[in-house]
Amino acid sequence: MADETGIEALIALMARLPGLGPRSARRAVLVLLKKRAQLMAPLAQALAEVALAAKDCRICGNISTAEICPICADPARATGEICVVEDVADLWAMERGKVFRGRYHVLGGTLSALDAVGPEDLGIPRLVARVADEGIREVILALNATVDGQTTAHYIADALAGTGAQITTLAQGVPIGGELDYLDDGTIGAALRARRRL
Amino acid sequence: MADETGIEALIALMARLPGLGPRSARRAVLVLLKKRAQLMAPLAQALAEVALAAKDCRICGNISTAEICPICADPARATGEICVVEDVADLWAMERGKVFRGRYHVLGGTLSALDAVGPEDLGIPRLVARVADEGIREVILALNATVDGQTTAHYIADALAGTGAQITTLAQGVPIGGELDYLDDGTIGAALRARRRL
């Protein structure tokens, strides 16, 4: 209870961030209040700048501070491959993997009859156009292994059937460092079916 | 990996908040990026305003947006009682308890020979002066039950010995809702020694 409308409003805003509840938001604001010059002012500045500059890339849907994101703007990434992901978070995760060197298409969700999310909402017609325009040879469907993700993957595979591009998906199997004892049965089954010669 | 200096700098700043690591800071920034108008811009605004307006109360050391904090400025809280706490967080915790109606003195730490924190750094001479100036009848030492906290409490009790004010400390015992089985031996011992007639 900060007894102060300004500070209380700040705590309420901070509490809306994922991973912070009302209690940890209060703790974070206290730390900020104690480091006003070193942390609070620079954070306010950085947030204001990014809030103003950030935009959705109109080619792939990635979020960056440019009209066209650095990945779409980089000619070295015109490898003829597009990786389809559900969310910008998944794009960032793929980039952390440092293996994929092509470009992306961010759906921004999955097909859902219940939530009235159709192919246009996910930019699927735009993806089909890109495959032809950019001479894409392979579309990698890196969607989540959920029912909605897999339904969407099948829909996209159908939509791309006429383009001639090869459609692939991420391999399923044992995660690096994963222990068999803790894996679910489905993953063990998938890993066994996809076993490779050593 | 946001591939963007502005967004990466923002993630690095967010990761310095307590309760957020690099991973959860990235997740928080992604949510902010998706809610630029509804959350990111208002948060930047609130942070900038509070960073500019927040100051330490020159009477008690509480942080607020006024030169003198709302508690010191409220004449209804001139009850002749001062509660001494280590930190603004402890003041907020006391206020949440809604029982204490007097004023505070925030030490901002504990006496520490190792860290060269002396009585002046904690404003103890200022506290002694307040007790005389404000006609304080009771000083409640609400310091943490740690070795440093208790050392500081004893020092303050000695410093206030000549003022005629009564020195008290918070009761020690079983927390409300606490189960005996999970309490440490020290707390059970303290609760038993301080037992009351029903």
Side-chain angles (χ1 to χ4, degrees):
Chain A
M1 281 342 71
D3 232 16
E4 280 279 325
T5 45
I7 296 176
E8 269 173 27
L10 178 58
I11 294 172
L13 280 169
M14 292 288 290
R16 289 172 57 189
L17 295 179
L20 288 180
R23 228 187 150 84
S24 45
R26 207 188 307 124
R27 225 171 92 231
V29 168
L30 260 169
V31 167
L32 286 167
L33 281 171
K34 285 185 202 161
K35 299 184 179 173
R36 294 195 280 279
Q38 313 97 288
L39 188 53
M40 197 179 212
L43 182 59
Q45 177 77 9
L47 278 168
E49 281 172 10
V50 172
L52 206 69
K55 35 187 94 64
D56 298 342
C57 173
R58 57 184 165 73
I59 297 176
C60 73
N62 186 14
I63 298 177
S64 80
T65 52
E67 206 61 52
I68 290 176
C69 79
I71 296 172
C72 286
D74 182 357
R77 302 204 56 158
T79 57
E81 296 159 320
I82 285 184
C83 177
V84 178
V85 291
E86 284 180 31
D87 197 277
V88 177
D90 302 327
L91 186 159
W92 289 12
M94 288 292 297
E95 286 294 288
R96 284 200 298 282
K98 291 190 207 299
V99 169
F100 181 66
R101 301 306 303 156
R103 285 176 179 159
Y104 292 93
H105 178 87
V106 180
L107 296 170
T110 49
L111 291 175
S112 164
L114 269 176
D115 299 325
V117 178
E120 287 76 24
D121 301 303
L122 305 183
I124 293 175
R126 190 160 45 87
L127 171 65
V128 176
R130 281 183 70 188
V131 169
D133 295 349
E134 300 177 23
I136 299 301
R137 289 172 292 98
E138 179 176 355
V139 176
I140 301 160
L141 301 177
L143 303 187
N144 291 332
T146 58
V147 172
D148 280 352
Q150 294 312 303
T151 308
T152 308
H154 280 116
Y155 181 91
I156 294 174
D158 284 348
L160 293 173
T163 61
Q166 197 179 346
I167 318 288
T168 57
T169 67
L170 295 185
Q172 292 192 314
V174 183
I176 304 294
E179 293 180 47
L180 290 190
D181 197 14
Y182 293 100
L183 274 181
D184 63 295
D185 307 349
T187 303
I188 291 189
L192 185 66
R193 280 193 299 275
R195 67 190 177 277
R196 303 178 309 147
R197 225 177 247 282
L198 206 64
Chain B
M1 276 2 51
D3 231 18
E4 279 279 324
T5 46
I7 296 175
E8 269 173 29
L10 178 57
I11 295 173
L13 280 169
M14 292 289 289
R16 289 173 56 189
L17 294 179
L20 288 180
R23 231 188 146 83
S24 44
R26 207 188 307 125
R27 225 171 92 231
V29 168
L30 260 169
V31 167
L32 286 166
L33 281 170
K34 286 186 198 159
K35 300 183 179 174
R36 294 195 280 279
Q38 312 98 288
L39 188 53
M40 197 178 212
L43 181 59
Q45 177 77 7
L47 278 168
E49 280 171 10
V50 171
L52 206 69
K55 35 187 95 63
D56 298 342
C57 173
R58 57 184 166 74
I59 297 175
C60 74
N62 185 14
I63 298 176
S64 80
T65 52
E67 207 59 54
I68 290 175
C69 80
I71 296 172
C72 287
D74 182 358
R77 302 203 56 157
T79 58
E81 297 160 318
I82 284 183
C83 177
V84 178
V85 290
E86 284 180 30
D87 196 279
V88 177
D90 302 328
L91 187 159
W92 290 12
M94 288 293 296
E95 286 294 288
R96 284 199 300 279
K98 291 188 209 296
V99 169
F100 181 66
R101 300 307 303 157
R103 285 177 178 156
Y104 292 93
H105 178 85
V106 181
L107 295 170
T110 50
L111 291 176
S112 165
L114 269 176
D115 299 325
V117 178
E120 287 75 25
D121 301 303
L122 306 183
I124 293 175
R126 191 159 45 86
L127 172 65
V128 176
R130 280 183 70 189
V131 169
D133 295 350
E134 300 178 23
I136 299 301
R137 290 173 292 99
E138 181 177 354
V139 176
I140 301 160
L141 301 177
L143 303 187
N144 291 333
T146 57
V147 172
D148 280 351
Q150 294 311 303
T151 307
T152 308
H154 280 117
Y155 180 91
I156 295 174
D158 285 348
L160 293 173
T163 60
Q166 198 180 346
I167 319 287
T168 57
T169 67
L170 296 184
Q172 293 193 312
V174 183
I176 306 292
E179 293 181 46
L180 291 190
D181 196 14
Y182 292 101
L183 274 181
D184 63 295
D185 306 349
T187 303
I188 290 189
L192 185 65
R193 280 194 298 276
R195 68 189 175 279
R196 302 178 309 145
R197 223 176 249 284
L198 208 63

